[in-house]
Amino acid sequence: MHRTYSMRNNRAPTAQQIATPPPPPSSTKTGRFFGKGSLSHNLRRSAAGSFGPEMSRKLAQLVKMEKNVMRSIELVSSERREVAKQLSLWGEDCDDDVSDVTDKLGVLIYEIGELEDQFIDRYDQYRVTLKSVRNIEASVQPSRERKQKITDSIAQLKYKDPNSPKIVVLEQELVRAEAESLVAEAQLSNITREKLKAAFAYQFDALREHSEKLALIANYGLSLLDLIDDQPVTPGETRAAYDGYESSKQIIIDCENALANWTFESAAVKPTLSMTEKFDLEDGAAEAAEEEWADKEVLAE
């Protein structure tokens, strides 16, 4: 693109990247055997739900579906950057104000594509964390199967040969198998809770950063549109000469600075929980009731 100012060349780390170093590139960006598209998506999802330990199949399918989501975002990111280039190319032959603004809009849209590419890497942290739960589920499956197999063998022997000495041996093995299974199940329960919270914390943090930066870009994009003279002219009338080059450049610089300085601490959207307020009100009402009851008791005395 013919840009007066670029937000991508020799870029310094942003404030958020300094506070929290970015994750490694997503594993979805390399090693593609089936390529892109809905067919490959369906093949991966179906395969994940059909193979492997039965206990981990549902989560394995979810992990594969998330991989499809990430590859779709990657495709959008790539197309977005191509759109940005085409917008600048189209506007190059227009009037001065339209040419300058479309060029700067191309910079902003290209930046959205870059943010989407970074979002994929952060989103992959969520997916990889879910994979660790899937692996634990797969490791617990053999202990369950072993315990069930021993239980079935004992039942079969008691039916065929109630006095068989093997029953005692198998019952001892069953005790050990149950102990191993209890340990594995407890580990699975603990890790599932820990990793589930960590995984979705990664996802929601990625969404927060991506959404707020998109909102910043959108606002600066609206400011660029104000530089276009959209007053109708009569045939033969000449518009005033465009003098917004410095303004458009400064808008891009301000946008870059806003993106570079963004951190979670400076986030504009702060969640509020109505249930917390409800509990506070209920606590206050309870305290008031207790005080009223105490006052009545004092008067009664």
Side-chain angles (χ1 to χ4, degrees), residues 207-243:
L207 286 170
R208 284 177 62 202
E209 179 175 355
H210 186 62
S211 300
E212 293 224 3
K213 287 185 175 180
L214 286 182
L216 285 172
I217 291 176
N219 285 328
Y220 285 105
L222 290 172
S223 297
L224 280 174
L225 295 180
D226 292 336
L227 299 176
I228 295 179
D229 179 11
D230 61 347
Q231 294 297 319
V233 295
T234 58
E237 183 181 357
T238 303
R239 292 187 184 275
Y242 176 65
D243 62 351

Side-chain angles (χ1 to χ4, degrees), residues 6-272:
S6 172
M7 295 191 294
R8 292 174 296 282
N9 295 332
N10 301 320
R11 177 180 298 173
T14 65
Q16 182 56 33
Q17 287 173 336
I18 294 173
T20 306
S26 166
S27 57
T28 62
K29 296 179 179 177
T30 58
R32 297 186 178 182
F33 180 74
F34 292 108
K36 302 178 182 179
S38 59
L39 177 60
S40 60
H41 287 189
N42 292 333
L43 286 174
R44 282 191 294 270
R45 182 174 58 191
S46 300
S50 302
F51 301 101
E54 183 177 357
M55 184 178 173
S56 63
R57 287 180 185 175
K58 290 182 179 179
L59 187 53
Q61 195 164 11
L62 173 60
V63 169
K64 286 298 182 183
M65 292 170 72
E66 290 290 12
K67 192 169 188 176
N68 291 342
V69 169
M70 292 168 60
R71 286 186 167 171
S72 298
I73 297 172
E74 185 182 350
L75 179 61
V76 170
S77 171
S78 176
E79 293 291 342
R80 182 100 61 190
R81 284 176 283 194
E82 292 301 318
V83 164
K85 294 176 183 178
Q86 189 63 28
L87 174 63
S88 179
L89 184 65
W90 166 74
E92 189 175 8
D93 296 329
C94 296
D95 292 339
D96 290 345
D97 55 347
V98 174
S99 176
D100 182 47
V101 170
T102 54
D103 189 42
K104 299 302 189 298
L105 289 174
V107 172
L108 296 186
I109 293 173
Y110 195 97
E111 180 64 22
I112 293 175
E114 294 282 282
L115 289 177
E116 286 166 338
D117 193 64
Q118 296 169 20
F119 174 72
I120 296 168
D121 297 336
R122 297 190 180 279
Y123 197 87
D124 194 43
Q125 290 181 292
Y126 147 76
R127 191 183 69 88
V128 169
T129 306
L130 281 186
K131 284 177 68 175
S132 66
V133 180
R134 178 205 64 187
N135 296 339
I136 293 294
E137 285 185 345
S139 68
V140 170
Q141 180 84 23
S143 67
R144 286 188 179 182
E145 292 177 348
R146 180 169 177 264
K147 185 176 71 171
Q148 187 60 48
K149 184 178 180 180
I150 295 173
T151 302
D152 293 342
S153 298
I154 292 173
Q156 189 177 14
L157 272 177
K158 285 183 176 180
Y159 177 75
K160 291 183 177 180
D161 186 6
N163 299 320
S164 173
K166 290 184 179 180
I167 294 177
V168 177
V169 176
L170 288 173
E171 286 177 341
Q172 292 174 348
E173 289 185 13
L174 180 59
V175 171
R176 290 193 294 270
E178 287 177 339
E180 292 175 1
S181 180
L182 282 174
V183 172
E185 296 288 350
Q187 183 185 28
L188 174 61
S189 177
N190 294 335
I191 291 179
T192 296
R193 284 162 173 76
E194 175 191 348
K195 296 297 184 181
L196 180 65
K197 292 179 71 172
F200 278 92
Y202 283 134
Q203 181 183 147
F204 292 139
D205 280 347
L207 286 170
R208 284 177 62 202
E209 179 175 355
H210 186 62
S211 300
E212 293 224 3
K213 287 185 175 180
L214 286 182
L216 285 172
I217 291 176
N219 285 328
Y220 285 105
L222 290 172
S223 297
L224 280 174
L225 295 180
D226 292 336
L227 299 176
I228 295 179
D229 179 11
D230 61 347
Q231 294 297 319
V233 295
T234 58
E237 183 181 357
T238 303
R239 292 187 184 275
Y242 176 65
D243 62 351
Y245 291 106
E246 288 301 318
S247 297
S248 66
K249 179 180 176 180
Q250 190 59 48
I251 288 173
I252 296 297
I253 294 174
D254 291 344
C255 182
E256 181 194 30
N257 291 335
L259 293 174
N261 294 327
W262 186 93
T263 62
F264 284 115
E265 289 71 23
S266 63
V269 179
K270 304 291 185 182
T272 56

